[in-house]
Amino acid sequence: MSALKEEKIVAPDIKLVYDLTEKPNLTNLQAKADRAVLANMRLDLVLPEDNILTVDIDFDTTSGYHGNTMMVMDDFGVEMLATAFAVKYGQEQADVVTNAWQRKQQQDDPRKPTYLLVQKPESENAMPKVYALCGGKKHENDIAPDSII
């Protein structure tokens, strides 16, 4: 039996595909009364080697994704995030965000980050945590070749 699916075109380059199959909530997460919360995301990344790497981001773990506020995936998003940081936390903190995006995280990384994840501050006087992710490893040997069935 196939899953019940619904597609929604948000913009010419954004399509949402809803899997309407009813599933129980097996997470530790609770929805708000007036808003759903993200439990996980599946990303297909196009690597520089022109193949796809699938990454699952699980928000129901102790891995640091709790309190995630935003995901930034391009230069414009980083510019907007850095501008917000400059206004709220000062230019020095904005530069930290910009540098995290523009530079490899480790000198021997093969690429710059693919996306930034931003967590809300743990307290009123704390800074948001910004994670620059997915650029620290070449995946050419990690991806299995297509299977022929």
Side-chain angles (χ1 to χ4, degrees), residues 50-115:
D50 201 31
N51 51 22
I52 299 286
L53 174 67
T54 300
V55 178
D56 287 326
I57 300 177
D58 186 349
F59 294 95
D60 185 35
T61 69
T62 58
S63 66
Y65 293 120
H66 289 288
N68 193 51
T69 301
M70 67 180 68
M71 181 177 204
V72 178
M73 300 171 281
D74 70 2
D75 294 339
F76 181 74
V78 172
E79 180 185 343
M80 293 295 99
L81 178 60
T83 300
F85 266 57
V87 170
K88 188 160 179 126
Y89 304 108
Q91 188 59 47
E92 185 176 320
Q93 294 303 321
D95 291 343
V96 169
V97 169
T98 303
N99 290 335
W101 180 252
Q102 292 177 342
R103 297 184 181 147
K104 297 175 180 181
Q105 298 306 292
Q106 303 296 322
Q107 188 173 6
D108 59 346
D109 284 351
R111 295 184 303 282
K112 297 175 185 177
T114 302
Y115 53 89

